[in-house]
Amino acid sequence: IIWQHIMQLKNFIVKSKILDDDLCDEIVKDSKDWRWEKHTWYSHNDDKSTHSHQEKELDVVCVPNIPKEINDKLLLGTESLWRLYQQILPSLLCESEEDSKPMAGFNMIKFWSSVRLNRYSQKTLMRSHYDHIQSLFDGNIRGIPILSAIGALNNSSDYEGGSLKFWDNYEVNLNKGEILMFPSCFLYPHKVEEVITGKRYTFVSWGV
C-alpha cells in the first residue's frame, strides 16, 4: 500500500531538457574560479548551521559569487519548466479528464530563489532530507518553499555513483541540461548517494 502511494507521488516529479549544452559546459568551466564552500545543514534545535558528514560534504557556491548573468539564465530555465509544470498540474490534481481544465490564474509561486551550485567530488554526498530551507524565511523576502528545482550541468556518465533518489529507492537520472521539479514538502525526501569517481555538477533553486 505504501509503495502504491509513492507511485502516485512520483507523478508530481517532472523533468525536461531545458538548458543548452554549451551553457552548461561554460558554467562548469568558469565555476572552477568561483568561491566554493562546504555545504552546511541548518539545525532548528541549535539554531545554527553545521556540517553533517564532515569530509563527505559537497561544495556549494551561491550568489553573489555566481555572476548575475549566469544566475538569471538558470532561473529562466527554471521558469520555463515551471510553466510546463503549471500545464500538467491540473490533470494531476483532478480525478477525471472532465475536471482537469486549465485553472485560470493558477500560479502559486511568487518568486524563485537565487540559484546555488552544487559540486559533488569523490566521496561526497547529500544525506536524505526534504527542502525546508531556513534561509528562505530570513531577510526581506520571506516564504515557504513550495517547489524545488534541480538542474544538471554535466552528464551522469561523467561520474560514478551520485545517484539522485527519492524515498531511498526511486532513482531519477539527470543528464546535462535537464531540470527536475518536485514539491518541497516532507512527502518528498531525497538524497544524492556518494560519488565514487568523477564530479557531479548541479544547481538548485526553490519556488516560494
Side-chain angles (χ1 to χ4, degrees):
I1 295 177
I2 294 177
W3 184 246
Q4 290 176 347
H5 289 308
I6 288 178
M7 288 298 97
Q8 293 174 347
L9 290 174
K10 77 178 181 62
N11 293 329
F12 292 86
I13 301 175
V14 176
K15 75 172 182 177
S16 181
K17 169 70 173 178
I18 300 288
L19 301 176
D20 183 78
D21 285 356
D22 290 340
L23 173 62
C24 295
D25 292 341
E26 175 190 350
I27 293 173
V28 170
K29 179 181 178 181
D30 292 348
S31 70
K32 296 175 182 178
D33 297 325
W34 299 345
R35 181 182 175 185
W36 292 86
E37 300 175 346
K38 285 296 179 183
H39 175 263
T40 59
W41 296 91
Y42 178 80
S43 169
H44 293 279
N45 293 330
D46 301 328
D47 193 26
K48 64 179 182 180
S49 294
T50 58
H51 299 294
S52 174
H53 288 86
Q54 300 299 332
E55 74 281 356
K56 291 184 179 292
E57 289 290 354
L58 65 148
D59 298 314
V60 298
V61 59
C62 308
V63 171
N65 296 312
I66 299 174
K68 183 179 184 304
E69 61 270 21
I70 296 299
N71 178 75
D72 292 347
K73 286 179 181 179
L74 295 181
L75 286 183
L76 280 176
T78 302
E79 286 279 2
S80 177
L81 183 55
W82 165 227
R83 288 192 292 271
L84 173 63
Y85 202 98
Q86 283 179 286
Q87 294 174 14
I88 68 172
L89 192 54
S91 63
L92 294 175
L93 295 173
C94 299
E95 296 183 357
S96 67
E97 292 184 3
E98 183 178 344
D99 295 331
S100 61
K101 298 177 181 178
M103 300 179 184
F106 184 77
N107 189 349
M108 58 186 174
I109 302 297
K110 294 181 180 179
F111 73 97
W112 289 93
S113 69
S114 298
V115 302
R116 186 190 79 198
L117 262 61
N118 295 333
R119 181 177 65 191
Y120 294 85
S121 302
Q122 187 177 6
K123 295 185 179 180
T124 63
L125 53 78
M126 175 74 75
R127 75 180 192 191
S128 183
H129 67 285
Y130 55 88
D131 290 342
H132 187 80
I133 310 299
Q134 175 69 20
S135 60
L136 294 181
F137 294 87
D138 299 333
N140 296 325
I141 301 177
R142 296 171 179 265
I144 299 173
I146 298 173
L147 286 176
S148 301
I150 303 175
L153 297 175
N154 66 334
N155 285 313
S156 57
S157 59
D158 294 335
Y159 52 88
E160 183 181 356
S163 298
L164 171 62
K165 290 187 177 180
F166 291 81
W167 313 292
D168 286 335
N169 54 7
Y170 180 70
E171 183 174 346
V172 180
N173 186 46
L174 274 182
N175 274 310
K176 186 192 301 183
E178 291 183 331
I179 301 179
L180 183 77
M181 193 165 287
F182 58 93
S184 304
C185 68
F186 69 94
L187 294 173
Y188 289 84
H190 53 285
K191 65 181 179 180
V192 174
E193 295 186 329
E194 186 172 326
V195 170
I196 300 172
T197 60
K199 291 184 179 180
R200 180 182 191 267
Y201 288 89
T202 62
F203 77 91
V204 292
S205 178
W206 298 276
V208 299

